[in-house]
Amino acid sequence: MEDSVHQDCFCGSQKTFNVCCQPFLDHQQVPETAEALMRSRYSAYVTHNADYLLQTWHPECHAEQWQDELINGFAHTQWLGLRVISSSHDKNSDLAYVEFSACFIDEKADHKQLIHERSRFVRVGQQWLYIDEVTPKVGRNDLCPCGSEKKYKKCCGDN
Ligand SMILES: [Zn+2]
Ligand SMILES: [Zn+2]
């Protein structure tokens, strides 16, 4: 990474990396919202930061069991971008949901793939943690969650 200070953040926030996800990845700050945590986890995937991903999984998930899979996945996954579709911001709740889509190319499969999920986050003390997710239903004639403005069946649903 040449000039990381002025680089746009990977998470698509249109802020620079050093004022967006980097302070979280460097443990200088703790994300205040579930969405910020989710964005920083995406940036951790892009920057191959397995430790950060494992630390921000809820302990109940026993994410360490996926450590090898996670690290192996880094090598052949090329991330194309993140799109936050909706997020809940209830300041008084320790539970939050973020719906997002992320596209990537799995260099083994050699085609673009879409992740579309509604993730659930739990706050423990000051720290938001990722716990689990559901996959929202998308109709074949609905707009594609990847943000292309095309119908799902003509875009990422065309498999
Ligand atoms: Zn960011
Ligand atoms: Zn699409």
Side-chain angles (χ1 to χ4, degrees):
M1 243 170 278
E2 332 84 73
D3 186 1
S4 70
V5 172
H6 298 293
Q7 178 179 344
D8 286 343
C9 195
F10 307 103
C11 77
S13 61
Q14 306 197 323
K15 293 186 227 168
T16 54
F17 182 52
N18 65 316
V19 298
C20 188
C21 294
Q22 191 177 32
F24 306 138
L25 297 175
D26 289 349
H27 302 287
Q28 290 163 354
Q29 287 176 33
V30 175
E32 283 179 18
T33 63
E35 181 182 330
L37 175 80
M38 190 261 133
R39 288 178 174 280
S40 69
R41 285 176 50 86
Y42 176 83
S43 291
Y45 275 102
V46 178
T47 58
H48 300 181
N49 190 336
D51 289 344
Y52 186 81
L53 290 164
L54 295 174
Q55 285 156 6
T56 53
W57 244 298
H58 196 281
E60 269 176 27
C61 303
H62 300 288
E64 61 284 354
Q65 67 187 310
W66 305 312
Q67 183 168 8
D68 292 346
E69 207 182 314
L70 194 64
I71 291 167
N72 291 338
F74 288 156
H76 55 86
T77 306
Q78 187 195 337
W79 292 95
L80 302 176
L82 171 71
R83 178 167 174 259
V84 174
I85 296 167
S86 69
S87 59
S88 64
H89 278 289
D90 181 350
K91 277 199 161 164
N92 300 313
S93 175
D94 289 330
L95 185 65
Y97 295 89
V98 182
E99 183 181 347
F100 70 92
S101 69
C103 291
F104 67 94
I105 293 172
D106 180 343
E107 284 160 6
K108 283 186 179 167
D110 199 31
H111 65 83
K112 184 175 132 181
Q113 301 191 39
L114 173 76
I115 298 173
H116 175 214
E117 61 176 60
R118 186 166 184 261
S119 302
R120 190 163 66 110
F121 297 88
V122 176
R123 186 164 50 190
V124 178
Q126 297 297 306
Q127 176 73 60
W128 283 102
L129 297 168
Y130 171 53
I131 187 156
D132 58 14
E133 78 291 328
V134 292
T135 303
K137 283 227 179 332
V138 182
R140 296 194 27 85
N141 288 309
D142 292 343
L143 286 178
C144 189
C146 79
S148 64
E149 309 276 316
K150 291 189 226 162
K151 286 185 178 176
Y152 184 54
K153 67 180 180 189
K154 301 258 182 197
C155 190
C156 301
D158 178 24
N159 285 326

